[in-house]
Every structure is written in C-alpha cells, then in structure tokens.
Amino acid sequence: MRKISLIGFVMLIVSIPTFAGGLLTNTNQHAAFLRMLSRGATFEIDGALSNPAGLAFLPNDGFHIGLSIQSAFQTRNIDASFYTYNGIAMNNGAPVIVDGKPVPTKSDAPFNKYYKGKAAAPVIPSLFAAYKKGDWTISGFFAITGGGGKASFDDGLPMFDAAAMAGIFQGSIPGYLNSDPEKHRPLVTSNMYDINSAMDGKQYIYSLQLGLTYKINDWLSAFAGGRMNYFTGGYKGFLNANLKEAYGGGELMDLELDCDQTGWGLTPVLGVDAKFGKFNIGAKYEFKTNLNIENKTNNLKYPDSAESLVGSYKDGVNTPNDIPSMLSVAVAYEILPVLRASVEYHFYDDKKAGMAGDKQKYLTKGTNEYLMGIEWDVTKQLSLSCGGQITDYGLSDNFQNDTSFSCDSYTLGVGAKVVLSERANLNVGYMWTTYEDYTKTSKNYSGTGLPGTNVYSRTNKVFGLSIDYRF
C-alpha cells in the first residue's frame, strides 16, 4: 500500500523534462542534435531551432522539411536517511534530544531507504520547415519545448513518509504522547496508520515558431522571429489517511484534487550567422517568456489546516512559470572537406525567470552549458558523428526537493546521417546523460524537527530518428 503525505501529494504537480537543456527549456528536438550535440552553427534544416540565421545558407532554394521522432527514458532516484521510521522518543509532542541527537527507540542508526522513480516519453515528435528564395528564408518549427513527462515512484517518496509522521510528532494524535522522557517509548510508528492515494499529472509546453532570415551578403545573415508557447497541464487525485482500527481508526486527512492548468506566452528570437573561410559562427538570443498558468479547478477538497499548501490550486489562481532567456553561441570549423568540428556555449538566465513560490531566488546563478561535436563523412552516403555536453546549474539545498530536483551532468551522443537520395537524409542518434549526485542534509527533515539526508541521482537516455527532405 502506497504511503503519501499531504505535502508530497501537492508537490507531485511538477513536470519531468525528458530533454537536454536548462531547468525549464528543452533543446534536443532533432536526431542530428542527439548524434552531435553542438548544432548552433549548422546550415541544415534543424537550424530552424538551433541556428535560424544559418538557414540563409541552405544549399538550394525551395522547401525544406524535417520530421523527428524521439523516445526518452529517465530514472530519478533518492537515497534517503532519516530517523522517522525507527521510532523516536517523544515528550509532549517534541522529540527527546540527548547530546544534540534525537533518541531512537529501536536502534542508534537512522532509517535508510532507496526510492526509485521512472519517467518515459516513448513518442516525442518535432516538425521543422523552411522555404528559401534568393536572399530570403522563412522558417518555423513545432515542438514540445518544455515539460513532456511525469515520474512514477512505486514506493512513494521520502517526503511522503517523513512528512506523514510530522503531524504525529507534533502531537496531532492525542493519547499517544509519552509524558515520561525517561522511558523513551515511541509515539507512533508507521505500522499504526494507512495512507491511500492516487495521482495523475501531466505538463507540456507546445511551441510554434515562425521567423524570417535575410542574407545580408555572402558571409553574413540575420534572423528575427517569435515563438508562441502554449502550456497545458492536468492533475487529478486523492489522499486519505487513517489510523488503523487497532489504534482507534481516527481520520487524519481527507483531500481531493481535480485541476486543469493552461497558459501561454510569446518568445521573441533574434539570430545572426557569419562565415569566415572555413569558420562559421552562429548566435541566437531568446528573450524571457512571461508565462502564467491559470487553474480551472473542478474539485478541491481539503481540511482548513492545509490552506497554505493547496490554496494556490483554487479555481482561477495564476502561478508564474516563466521560460528563461537563453543565449547560444557556436563556432564550426571545416578541418578537412570530410571532417568538421563545432563548439558551443549556452546560458539560461534562470534567476530572472519567475517560478512558483519565487523558487528561482534560491538559485546561485543561471545555467551554463558547454557543447562540442565532430562529424566525419565516411563515404558520400554516410556520415558518423559524436559529441559531448557539460551542464552546470546554480543549485542550492533550498531549491532542491524530492519531486523537483536537478543534478549537474555531462552528456554523450553518437549517431549517423545517411544520404538516401539527392533530396532526402536520414539522421539516427542516441544520447545518454551521466549526473553528479546531489546531497542535501537537513536539520528539519520534511518538517519533522529531526535530521535527515537525501542523495539525489538521475539517469537519462534518448533515442531518435529524423527524416529531412528537400522539394
């Protein structure tokens, strides 16, 4: 039987990005990115996203399209260490402290448990298009640029288990408090109550971008455009907590939630591309997107004590969910006619993008990404490529929580481009990410007043196929 707390239930409503990129932005939309990673100076159709100014140098006039399908799979794991389940000696609702530590009633060691979460997005489509005529190119793309997944924790989360005990520790169940600290008997342990729950949630940001590229001269081009972003999400679930019959059967918590959320925002985008001999430089700036999501709440039932936790999900309430501004600069170099390399830098100004509860204030800085890739034409029909990416977030303990945590990482990608005909190319790519564990230690673990530690870890694997065609 799943155990869950009110706090954990409410905070389940976060998206799980299944892409590369910043905290709130997805950058991999095409298999060419998966196989090379650094695409900010490309002249191919995926440049509609990564280097729109570079589309001025498409090799032929006419229509160019690209269709990409990706599959992404993640794990989001937490190794938790806390005292909650061992049974802590209590006195009038407060833990008994000896030599600065809570007194356990079963052992001297804290309780350890490994929580494993899974997220999967088996079909992630993206569509790219451009029409070039002379010095002018009109381009656009449709993709899921934010969100795109949800996590499932079969054994709950640490905050579920610990926070469920918090109210018990604070004396919310009369008759179980021990008034004699010398006996050090437990107040209540997890086998004394049942908590039943069900939760379904999803979040997506669908984006449609249109823009115009102008070839100023033989070596310089510029782009201006805009992206319409539409947010849609939905959450439906319930929470019911009761003491077991042997301990009185009293109801502890009853909560129901059925809430849909929508919102939209516009992103202005500027770009420039410059060619110098064997070098090509591509740059792009995406302005911050002011995006608020509004609740359409069909059902919300909760006790008065939970007002501060779930009040923000009342009907008509707006919550900030800004998309941060983003700067991309890339340099590509033709080492040989059959060998090319590229390096790239991304900056996401996350600290200036509004988040729910002003969570962005806890970041120490914006996100920095460093990318590189290399491509080798083995034959006229086959090109092999690989690439790497380092992602450095400005994380802090106050920013991280069980349902929404990030970890610094490095990513590797490999793949190939196959020339099917004069007009058609096939891209195949595979990308995997290795994350650095993040350790968060708290003296007040999930509101219990007791110490605890979480070690957050993640994995990510993405496979993609893309077909590019020129009419």
Side-chain angles (χ1 to χ4, degrees):
M1 183 175 296
R2 177 178 292 183
K3 298 181 175 67
I4 190 170
S5 75
L6 174 63
I7 297 175
F9 178 90
V10 173
M11 295 194 68
L12 254 176
I13 52 180
V14 298
S15 64
I16 307 299
T18 51
F19 297 80
L23 293 168
L24 303 173
T25 308
N26 302 334
T27 54
N28 61 296
Q29 302 292 346
H30 194 281
F33 179 92
L34 300 180
R35 69 178 178 85
M36 190 175 175
L37 294 178
S38 178
R39 300 291 294 177
T42 184
F43 295 146
E44 299 184 31
I45 187 60
D46 61 300
L49 168 65
S50 56
N51 184 28
L55 297 179
F57 301 105
L58 283 167
N60 302 94
D61 283 2
F63 283 102
H64 302 254
I65 63 171
L67 174 64
S68 182
I69 301 294
Q70 299 183 62
S71 298
F73 304 91
Q74 280 192 355
T75 63
R76 300 168 62 86
N77 306 318
I78 306 172
D79 191 357
S81 175
F82 53 97
Y83 282 91
T84 304
Y85 269 140
N86 278 11
I88 301 301
M90 304 295 293
N91 182 33
N92 294 325
V96 176
I97 304 297
V98 176
D99 296 329
K101 297 181 179 180
V103 178
T105 59
K106 297 182 180 179
S107 73
D108 292 330
F111 174 77
N112 290 82
K113 186 174 180 180
Y114 190 73
Y115 298 79
K116 187 173 183 178
K118 297 180 180 179
V123 179
I124 309 166
S126 302
L127 180 64
F128 303 79
Y131 177 73
K132 180 177 180 291
K133 187 169 180 62
D135 294 334
W136 294 93
T137 304
I138 185 171
S139 67
F141 72 85
F142 174 79
I144 301 172
T145 60
K150 63 181 180 179
S152 175
F153 287 84
D154 294 337
D155 295 321
L157 286 172
M159 64 189 302
F160 295 3
D161 297 333
M165 298 292 287
I168 299 172
F169 284 161
Q170 294 164 5
S172 60
I173 307 178
Y176 289 96
L177 295 179
N178 177 16
S179 60
D180 184 0
E182 296 297 327
K183 295 180 180 179
H184 299 327
R185 292 198 301 264
L187 176 67
V188 174
T189 56
S190 59
N191 65 332
M192 299 171 67
Y193 60 87
D194 289 325
I195 302 180
N196 301 318
S197 71
M199 184 67 179
D200 182 53
K202 59 181 180 180
Q203 286 190 359
Y204 299 93
I205 298 180
Y206 298 100
S207 296
L208 176 64
Q209 178 173 301
L210 292 174
L212 196 62
T213 300
Y214 178 64
K215 186 178 180 182
I216 300 171
N217 53 42
D218 289 341
W219 61 272
L220 183 64
S221 63
F223 169 86
R227 183 184 305 163
M228 175 63 72
N229 306 279
Y230 178 73
F231 177 98
T232 178
Y235 313 100
K236 187 174 183 178
F238 69 90
L239 170 80
N240 184 260
N242 296 278
L243 281 174
K244 290 183 177 180
E245 290 296 328
Y247 301 97
E251 182 177 276
L252 302 177
M253 185 68 65
D254 186 21
L255 184 149
E256 296 179 12
L257 173 65
D258 184 357
C259 178
D260 297 318
Q261 294 180 324
T262 57
W264 66 275
L266 182 65
T267 308
V269 182
L270 298 176
V272 65
D273 189 277
K275 297 177 62 178
F276 302 100
K278 295 183 178 182
F279 285 95
N280 185 63
I281 301 173
K284 178 185 65 168
Y285 184 77
E286 299 179 1
F287 290 81
K288 185 183 78 170
T289 306
N290 295 316
L291 194 156
N292 285 335
I293 54 178
E294 182 175 353
N295 298 338
K296 184 181 184 302
T297 305
N298 307 304
N299 183 30
L300 181 60
K301 178 183 178 182
Y302 61 93
D304 292 341
S305 60
E307 171 69 30
S308 62
L309 296 175
V310 299
S312 60
Y313 300 99
K314 292 181 178 179
D315 189 57
V317 171
N318 281 268
T319 304
N321 196 65
D322 294 348
I323 302 172
S325 61
M326 181 258 200
L327 173 67
S328 169
V329 179
V331 179
Y333 179 67
E334 185 183 277
I335 303 170
L336 297 171
V338 296
L339 186 63
R340 297 165 296 279
S342 177
V343 293
E344 190 168 347
Y345 169 72
H346 295 164
F347 175 72
Y348 302 88
D349 199 2
D350 300 305
K351 282 188 66 65
K352 294 182 180 178
M355 303 179 189
D358 283 335
K359 188 180 176 183
Q360 74 280 359
K361 294 181 179 179
Y362 298 121
L363 291 168
T364 62
K365 61 181 180 181
T367 299
N368 294 284
E369 284 185 336
Y370 309 90
L371 308 92
M372 66 171 294
I374 191 165
E375 185 176 38
W376 173 40
D377 298 335
V378 181
T379 69
K380 291 183 178 180
Q381 285 73 40
L382 176 65
S383 299
L384 300 179
S385 61
C386 63
Q389 172 180 299
I390 297 172
T391 302
D392 177 26
Y393 298 116
L395 303 172
S396 70
D397 285 357
N398 287 331
F399 183 83
Q400 305 278 63
N401 61 61
D402 291 358
T403 58
S404 180
F405 61 86
S406 298
C407 301
D408 293 341
S409 65
Y410 68 87
T411 299
L412 299 176
V414 296
K417 180 176 74 172
V418 180
V419 178
L420 302 177
S421 70
E422 276 189 17
R423 297 179 179 270
N425 295 327
L426 170 69
N427 285 275
V428 181
Y430 177 70
M431 178 187 82
W432 70 97
T433 303
T434 300
Y435 294 87
E436 179 182 337
D437 291 353
Y438 186 97
T439 301
K440 177 180 177 179
T441 300
S442 174
K443 295 181 179 179
N444 183 20
Y445 192 92
S446 295
T448 61
L450 305 172
T453 299
N454 282 346
V455 179
Y456 297 113
S457 62
R458 297 174 58 173
T459 65
N460 185 47
K461 300 176 181 179
V462 186
F463 173 78
L465 291 171
S466 299
I467 292 286
D468 300 339
Y469 191 82
R470 173 177 61 84
F471 292 92

